[in-house]
Amino acid sequence: METRKFGKTDMKVSVLGFGSAEIGMDSSKATDREVGDLLNALLDEGVNVLDSASSYKRSESLIGQLVSSRRSEYYIFSKLGEGESVGLPYPDWDVRNVRPSIERTLRDLRTDYVDLMMIHSCSEAVLRQGDLIEALRDLKREGLTRYIGYSGDSTDALYAVNTGVFDALETSINIADQEALQLTVSEAAKRDMGIIAKRPIANAVWVRQGLENAPDPYIERLEKLNYPFLKNDSDAIAEKALRFVLSVPYVDTAIVGTTNLSHFRQNIGYAAKGKLPDREILDIRNRWLEVQEPAWAGLK
């Protein structure tokens, strides 16, 4: 598994990270044993980034239950900010939730620290208040998280980047979601931030339409983008999509979520083929620039 230096941090991250949202979904049919087999196999394959969040339902408790004995082999990237919506005592984005949120995350993950804690997709208006950012910095000073970041998109993410206080940015980058390539990625790179691409295969909406976590905006955008390769079979589309994201300058790791080990191993094989030819990258970028609409902001 290829690794890349993660911005100004001391981490070298695998180019593919595991997104744990799907293992925590109510609709997941995977048993705990199957999830354990999946997580252990990915660690064996060299995946060293497990991306989680307090809002991902059972995901953090599953990680803690099933692979905390291998804690030295992976980095935990987590997120906070939500409150009452995830069972915490105060409204979402209330700074008083920060402490109980990370305490629950550490307890569920069965660890003393996370490697990266991010504010999870809050608005620029919330960030401008400053208290949530300062609370996150306190967690870093205390060693409960080694680094801090922002997970989100569009002008909210741009504001977060421009504060200069964050070590990392997690943002949507894929064939149906390229606003970040024009707006935030280069700005984050100037500050030597680690850059995490979420939704790198656009949630595979070409085969998952109507299922949980298959956003309609991506379906609509791909219909208009009408890339020629969308006429290929699903695996060929997924390969093109993933290799496009891994070809983007400054992207350090791309987060892929699944409950299916064979699907993840397919993605490992795609990543191993390296970047797309320059001509194909340019074709995808040019098509986006030609067709994009003002409303096509990064998808949260």
Side-chain angles (χ1 to χ4, degrees), residues 52-246:
S52 68
S54 62
S55 61
Y56 291 172
K57 300 185 178 178
R58 293 184 63 225
S59 68
E60 293 192 329
S61 62
L62 285 169
I63 290 169
Q65 172 190 337
L66 299 168
V67 291
S68 59
S69 62
R70 302 180 66 173
R71 179 67 179 89
S72 63
E73 299 178 48
Y74 58 85
Y75 302 119
I76 279 285
F77 293 178
S78 189
K79 312 174 196 74
L80 55 71
E82 294 90 349
E84 291 174 344
S85 64
V86 296
L88 292 171
Y90 302 103
D92 291 0
W93 318 121
D94 189 313
V95 70
R96 291 172 292 179
N97 288 315
V98 168
R99 186 69 50 173
S101 181
I102 195 167
E103 287 175 352
R104 184 175 70 182
T105 283
L106 296 178
R107 182 176 65 250
D108 286 350
L109 290 169
R110 304 186 188 184
T111 186
D112 297 326
Y113 68 95
V114 295
D115 297 281
L116 173 66
M117 179 60 78
M118 293 173 278
I119 296 175
H120 197 187
S121 298
C122 72
S123 68
E124 177 181 338
V126 169
L127 291 174
R128 283 186 178 276
Q129 294 171 16
D131 56 353
L132 199 56
I133 293 177
E134 193 55 33
L136 198 61
R137 297 178 79 181
D138 284 342
L139 298 182
K140 183 178 179 181
R141 285 187 280 264
E142 294 175 41
L144 298 178
T145 182
R146 297 174 61 221
Y147 299 103
I148 60 175
Y150 176 80
S151 174
D153 297 274
S154 203
T155 54
D156 300 326
L158 182 61
Y159 178 82
V161 168
N162 287 335
T163 65
V165 304
F166 294 111
D167 303 303
L169 171 68
E170 180 166 340
T171 197
S172 297
I173 304 172
N174 59 60
I175 58 173
D177 204 338
Q178 297 180 44
E179 183 192 43
L181 304 187
Q182 300 154 249
L183 187 66
T184 55
V185 167
S186 61
E187 292 301 312
K190 288 177 187 176
R191 293 160 177 78
D192 203 14
M193 296 171 69
I195 297 173
I196 308 158
K198 61 178 179 173
R199 305 178 185 272
I201 56 172
N203 300 78
V205 293
W206 50 89
V207 290
R208 300 183 68 249
Q209 188 168 353
L211 300 178
E212 188 175 2
N213 201 24
D216 289 340
Y218 282 177
I219 297 168
E220 295 163 6
R221 292 181 193 183
L222 288 178
E223 287 176 354
K224 293 181 179 179
L225 286 161
N226 196 28
Y227 297 116
F229 60 82
L230 293 176
K231 297 178 175 65
N232 297 335
D233 63 45
S234 177
D235 290 347
I237 299 170
E239 176 181 336
K240 186 86 70 175
L242 183 59
R243 292 176 64 196
F244 168 72
V245 171
L246 294 177

